[in-house]
Amino acid sequence: MTTTLPRKALLAITSYNGSFYADGTKTGLFYTEALHPYEALVNAGFEVDLASETGYYGIDEHSLAKDFLTEDDEKVLNDPNHEFNVKLNSQLHKASDLNPADYGLFFASAGHATLWDYPTARNLQHIAEDIYNRGGVVSAVCHGPAILPGIIDSTTGKSIIAGKAVTGFTTEGETMLDLLDIIKSANVSTIEEGAAEAGARYVAPPTPFADFSQVDGRVVTGANPASAKSTAVSAIEVFETL
């Protein structure tokens, strides 16, 4: 691997935390979609910083349901002194305060909230652009690929996903969760729509909630919460080949 890329990752966190679900609860960070990549990166010897566009975040309340948490996840969630929770709750950076050159890998975690803030999160996008244009890896999972259309390849002037195969949460999945009408009424783009607008080729998982990731060059994407770890592992594998 080239020595010019630091073995340090930036894990992006959504800062949007508005009411979203039919029951009135809020969307925000989908907890395990940040925890699982964090664990994979740390286990691979990466130093990891967490950052959002504003320096703040809120949790997606549905992401804390037992359906989405393993026993190990619950142990971490309930331990305020766990290093992930410490970084998330007391060391979360504001993206504009960071030096992009410090990082060699970018990972965008998710939650439906990203549909609102990632497309215009220019400071997070700038860090990812810098990493990519220095030869690093840019990755995202589930709704995290909402950030990718706005990340520009300096050699083409187009999004880094233009002409590439990417995945992310399916429109079918939004329908299954009875959320598509809410997304449409909010006038935000689905992941499939954003990919198409950026000139990417969207690749769907076998089923909306199957563990599935896609690698195309130095862009690595994953489809849903079940794919958070495998997407990070794939991103690390790409990093190791650079």
Side-chain angles (χ1 to χ4, degrees), residues 224-240:
N224 47 46
S227 311
K229 179 180 178 180
S230 63
T231 305
V233 169
S234 292
I236 293 163
E237 290 173 350
V238 173
F239 185 90
E240 300 293 9

Side-chain angles (χ1 to χ4, degrees), residues 173-190:
E174 307 290 13
T175 301
M176 290 171 64
L177 295 174
D178 292 325
L179 295 173
L180 186 59
D181 287 345
I182 298 174
I183 291 169
K184 293 292 187 183
S185 65
N187 200 31
V188 293
S189 297
T190 65

Side-chain angles (χ1 to χ4, degrees), residues 59-70:
I59 203 73
D60 185 301
E61 297 172 70
H62 282 212
S63 77
L64 304 183
K66 289 189 179 293
D67 289 349
F68 294 115
L69 299 172
T70 66

Side-chain angles (χ1 to χ4, degrees), residues 11-13 29-43 48 50 59 63-64 68-79 82-86 88 107 109-110 141 225 228-229 232:
L11 182 57
I13 306 290
L29 168 66
F30 198 97
Y31 187 75
T32 58
E33 290 178 345
L35 173 62
H36 292 172
Y38 177 85
E39 292 173 332
L41 287 160
V42 169
N43 288 340
V48 184
L50 276 58
I59 203 73
S63 77
L64 304 183
F68 294 115
L69 299 172
T70 66
E71 185 176 333
D72 287 341
D73 295 336
E74 284 198 80
K75 287 179 181 177
V76 174
L77 175 66
N78 294 320
D79 179 4
H82 188 281
E83 61 180 15
F84 174 75
N85 293 325
V86 170
L88 182 61
F107 193 102
S109 67
V141 70
K229 179 180 178 180

